[in-house]
Amino acid sequence: MPRATAPRPAIVCAGHATLDAIVAIPRLPRRDERLPATDGLLAGGGPAATAAVALARLGVPVAFAGRVGDDHAGTLVREGLAREGVDVSLLATVSGTTPFTAVLVGPHGDRVLLPASGSLPAIELSPGLRAALADAAWLHVDHAGAGLLPFARAAAPGIRLSIDGGNPIAGLSLAGVDLYAPTVATLLDLTGTASIDPGMEAALAAGAGIVVATDGARGAYGAAKDSGDMGVMHVPARPVPGLVSTLGAGDAFHGGLLAALLDGRPLETALAIANAVAGASTRALDGRSALPDRAALDAMLAADPVA
């Protein structure tokens, strides 16, 4: 009997994949203090990688393109993504150290990140990645995958390009970018503006088709070139009972947003859905284990409908 083949990815996420050592603490420690932790775990992380997991949980065929080292951490990162249903055929193992992050999570979900970037080469547009992009609807990149952008459109003229702008990207051009999704702080820094509306307008003028800026517990802002006179819209975040950690919530938001846009949802609805996915993710110490599947998301939206 022939082996069933996996569906071609509708979305390719490219960029940073890490192993996170996450420790919950009652407060920040003082110098030379021995402070007992209240919880801890090892989990996969990275902006584009966690967005890929959010998409897979929602039933979207998704592949992750990136690099891990030929070390135990790299094996754990790969196995974690594969368990979630992410296609890891584009995740290369190369000589070097897999990026890792130590994360301290406080009692109110606030966190301190201590990243070590590893020693891996840049992601290349391999023949396998080129073939995946030719069939995909979206390419979503973070700061580590942004180097693919100049080549992706030539490799796949019909693909839509999405950028996680949460981390600064040197020399970033928004020309031809379909979705630019920074934090509010990064948006204002990139555009040199002092407030959200002018920042959104400047990013649209620079070439982005849609701009979505996340603002933590305050929700998200969105604007699109084809939205007529709607201007900048704001969708508040959903209240989250039992919040544990905000680690990875922005990455989860991007996965939910892309899933909603892939479904053809209007931007305002897509923002509300993305907020719901991000909110659900904060109910666990890591950024992935509490991500909703499609049934759980549908139940949340039925209890608190969006347009």
Side-chain angles (χ1 to χ4, degrees):
M1 184 175 181
R3 181 182 297 177
T5 57
R8 301 292 291 176
I11 297 178
V12 175
C13 295
H16 203 46
T18 72
L19 186 66
D20 293 347
I22 310 167
V23 178
I25 53 176
R27 55 174 171 77
L28 287 179
R30 295 184 290 270
R31 183 176 180 177
D32 294 330
E33 179 184 17
R34 186 178 187 273
L35 180 67
T38 58
D39 198 359
L41 53 80
L42 288 176
T50 298
V53 173
L55 285 159
R57 286 278 183 100
L58 295 174
V60 176
V62 58
F64 178 74
R67 297 282 188 270
V68 290
D70 55 352
D71 52 13
H72 184 55
T75 299
L76 293 177
V77 168
R78 178 184 296 278
E79 290 176 347
L81 289 169
R83 276 196 306 272
E84 291 286 356
V86 177
D87 179 347
V88 293
S89 62
L90 304 175
L91 177 58
T93 298
V94 298
S95 178
T97 302
T98 300
F100 65 92
T101 303
V103 185
L104 304 179
V105 178
H108 305 296
D110 49 322
R111 69 258 199 270
V112 176
L113 275 63
L114 306 169
S117 60
S119 57
L120 306 183
I123 303 168
E124 297 178 351
L125 187 63
S126 66
L129 178 53
R130 186 184 296 269
L133 294 178
D135 291 336
W138 284 90
L139 169 64
H140 175 66
V141 303
D142 60 22
H143 60 289
L148 294 171
L149 292 174
F151 312 104
R153 186 74 79 186
I159 200 165
R160 302 183 74 185
L161 303 178
S162 167
I163 300 175
D164 174 343
N167 292 296
I169 301 171
L172 177 64
S173 170
L174 298 182
V177 170
D178 297 281
L179 171 63
Y180 175 52
T183 62
V184 166
T186 304
L187 172 73
L188 300 184
D189 184 64
L190 177 74
T191 60
T193 52
S195 58
I196 292 168
D197 283 22
M200 302 284 278
E201 292 164 5
L204 290 174
I210 301 172
V211 180
V212 170
T214 55
D215 199 19
R218 288 170 290 278
Y221 299 83
K225 282 186 176 177
D226 60 0
S227 61
D229 296 327
M230 290 183 65
V232 176
M233 61 188 73
H234 174 241
V235 178
R238 292 179 171 225
V240 181
L243 185 148
V244 175
S245 170
T246 58
L247 180 65
D251 312 325
F253 177 96
H254 297 144
L257 177 64
L258 286 166
L261 293 175
L262 187 68
D263 284 345
R265 300 294 192 108
L267 180 57
E268 189 169 12
T269 303
L271 293 174
I273 290 171
N275 279 339
V277 173
S281 77
T282 67
R283 294 172 183 163
L285 192 58
D286 66 314
R288 296 183 182 176
S289 58
L291 285 167
D293 60 17
R294 181 70 71 166
L297 176 61
D298 288 345
M300 282 191 290
L301 298 178
D304 185 10
V306 300

